[in-house]
Amino acid sequence: MTACDQVLSHLWLLADAADQAAQPAAWDRLTTLIKQPHPLTWGVILGGLAMWLMLPRGSAKGRSLGVVLGIAALGCLGSRLLPLGDWSTNTVFWILSAVTVASAACTVTFRSPVYCAVWFALTLTGTAGVFMLQGAQFLAVATIV
């Protein structure tokens, strides 16, 4: 049972508990789940902060800090990856995914529309590569077209 399922089940217990004595115990379990965040939470928080710092409005110092936080966020999220198959498939998938995520971040954070268009094209190409690797050839071709 995932953490989200546990939270929903505890909310269900709180909403439907007819016995007043059962509500404090369910509330205690719910607050315990909220205090212990999911392992991916730090990666998402660091990634959001990195994207905010890399936006094209700040100084070069803030942008470089954003790049460092972005790499740390990718490390946090990458540490939770599950293997998909053999090592060659995993390696190609991880490289394509990293290139796609990095180029998407560059699409959002560059000032020049020309550079943004080039990075967006690389993002679409990486997405099509991931689709192709997973056996969804129609989606890969539709993404490129």
Side-chain angles (χ1 to χ4, degrees):
M1 183 181 269
T2 65
C4 184
D5 293 335
Q6 290 175 352
V7 170
L8 289 175
S9 68
H10 290 301
L11 285 174
W12 181 264
L13 285 174
L14 284 175
D16 287 345
D19 185 11
Q20 294 294 329
Q23 286 184 358
W27 185 255
D28 290 339
R29 288 184 295 202
L30 180 65
T31 55
T32 303
L33 284 173
I34 292 173
K35 288 179 185 175
Q36 298 170 351
H38 195 269
L40 294 178
T41 304
W42 291 111
V44 171
I45 290 171
L46 283 177
L49 184 60
M51 288 300 295
W52 181 73
L53 285 172
M54 287 190 301
L55 287 175
R57 47 130 182 83
S59 64
K61 188 177 181 181
R63 288 176 64 94
S64 61
L65 178 63
V67 169
V68 170
L69 287 178
I71 292 170
L74 283 177
C76 287
L77 295 174
S79 68
R80 304 298 297 179
L81 288 176
L82 298 174
L84 298 172
D86 58 344
W87 67 271
S88 61
T89 305
N90 287 337
T91 304
V92 171
F93 177 77
W94 290 336
I95 290 171
L96 279 173
S97 298
V99 167
T100 303
V101 169
S103 60
C106 289
T107 300
V108 175
T109 59
F110 273 57
R111 281 186 195 266
S112 171
V114 175
Y115 288 145
C116 289
V118 170
W119 285 112
F120 183 64
L122 186 60
T123 302
L124 289 177
T125 305
T127 303
V130 170
F131 283 151
M132 189 70 83
L133 185 66
Q134 296 299 316
Q137 288 84 8
F138 177 76
L139 288 176
V141 171
T143 301
I144 295 296
V145 170

